[in-house]
Amino acid sequence: MRKRDDLSDLSQLLAAFSQTSSIELAVYDNQLRFQAVNNAAAAITGTPAEAFFGKTLRDIIGDAAPGPETRLRRVLESDGTPSVEVIVMLPTRTEPGYWIEKNFPIKGRAGRAYQIVSLAVEVTAHRKLEQSFQRLAGELLWTKSNEYSRLAGELHHSIDKYNEALAVSLERLSRHCREPEKIPELWAQSMEVLGERVQRLMLTHIQMFSELIWRRP
């Protein structure tokens, strides 16, 4: 009976998260072997989703596996871990990537975890933009103006706030993973608000930096 319920839960979760390319979903058993992934999670590794079943993280991402494996083992001994920002060097890339990640266990009647669900959203582009503005601020400091470093600091703070809001959205989604039919609507609502926020953030800082560059002596 449990096996049939598990298969039903997995298929519903995959169906719910197949509608978005921004949330990466992975489900593991308590031996940290993949039970399922959605296309978004498969795409970042260059491995087809159907090839994950029964494999370990080391099978899929090689030397990048120890960090994620450590976080997943902690989840097996808890009721879940808070959403965190993680840095992973995937074998398919030449630079590290940044993700907001939320992991939580699925427990049986005896209270033991038999599965782990992992949700992640990549924020590499936001971190790279932040780093670009910080480098620009550093290059412009020869003017002896604190305005550039102030703006870089504001951008850093704003992106941190964006990532905090993203983490809250993942926490909210994780609470509804037993109700997969609600997930697409909840995520759409979250992304609409976050999308508007980040668009305003980027446009404001780009305009401010542009004005400062044109005004420099």
Side-chain angles (χ1 to χ4, degrees):
M1 184 67 178
R2 165 57 64 188
K3 186 66 174 177
R4 181 175 297 178
D5 290 345
D6 290 351
L7 291 173
S8 175
D9 290 345
L10 277 178
S11 63
Q12 290 181 51
L13 272 177
L14 284 172
F17 284 100
S18 68
Q19 300 182 37
T20 172
S21 60
S22 55
I23 311 176
E24 298 159 20
L25 166 75
V27 181
Y28 305 85
D29 66 12
N30 56 13
Q31 301 300 309
L32 304 189
R33 295 172 300 209
F34 283 101
Q35 299 296 289
V37 298
N38 68 350
N39 289 330
I44 66 166
T45 67
T47 302
E50 59 271 17
F52 276 73
F53 185 80
K55 300 286 183 63
T56 66
L57 272 164
R58 188 169 293 277
D59 293 331
I60 301 297
I61 60 174
D63 292 342
E69 284 176 342
T70 298
R71 293 192 295 275
L72 292 172
R73 288 194 188 95
R74 291 196 194 108
V75 175
L76 287 173
E77 302 168 358
S78 69
D79 291 325
T81 55
S83 297
V84 293
E85 182 172 330
V86 300
I87 305 174
V88 181
M89 183 67 200
L90 292 172
T92 53
R93 300 190 182 181
T94 58
E95 295 180 339
Y98 297 77
W99 282 264
I100 303 294
E101 179 183 87
K102 167 66 179 178
N103 300 317
F104 59 96
I106 303 296
K107 296 186 176 182
R109 290 175 183 164
R112 297 185 64 181
Y114 66 92
Q115 284 180 333
I116 298 173
V117 177
S118 179
L119 303 177
V121 178
E122 186 168 4
V123 292
T124 303
H126 302 136
R127 284 303 181 198
K128 281 189 173 181
L129 182 60
E130 175 193 8
Q131 291 162 7
S132 295
F133 275 112
Q134 288 175 332
R135 284 194 298 271
L136 177 59
E139 292 169 1
L140 296 174
L141 281 177
W142 63 273
T143 61
K144 302 188 183 301
S145 168
N146 291 327
E147 190 73 0
Y148 305 116
S149 53
R150 181 183 67 80
L151 285 174
E154 285 182 3
L155 181 66
H156 177 82
H157 177 73
S158 298
I159 290 180
D160 279 346
K161 287 296 183 184
Y162 171 82
N163 287 349
E164 287 174 14
L166 189 54
V168 169
S169 297
L170 284 183
E171 294 280 354
R172 186 182 180 203
L173 280 181
S174 70
R175 293 195 294 270
H176 287 276
C177 275
R178 287 293 190 184
E179 303 171 284
E181 69 280 358
K182 294 184 178 180
I183 287 171
E185 181 181 356
L186 288 171
W187 185 248
Q189 292 170 356
S190 296
M191 289 309 292
E192 183 177 359
V193 172
L194 288 167
E196 291 175 356
R197 180 178 300 179
V198 78
Q199 186 176 33
R200 290 196 302 270
L201 160 71
M202 300 311 175
L203 288 175
T204 299
H205 283 85
I206 288 171
Q207 181 179 358
M208 292 172 75
F209 264 106
S210 297
E211 290 174 356
L212 286 171
I213 291 170
W214 281 108
R215 292 203 323 252
R216 72 178 181 178

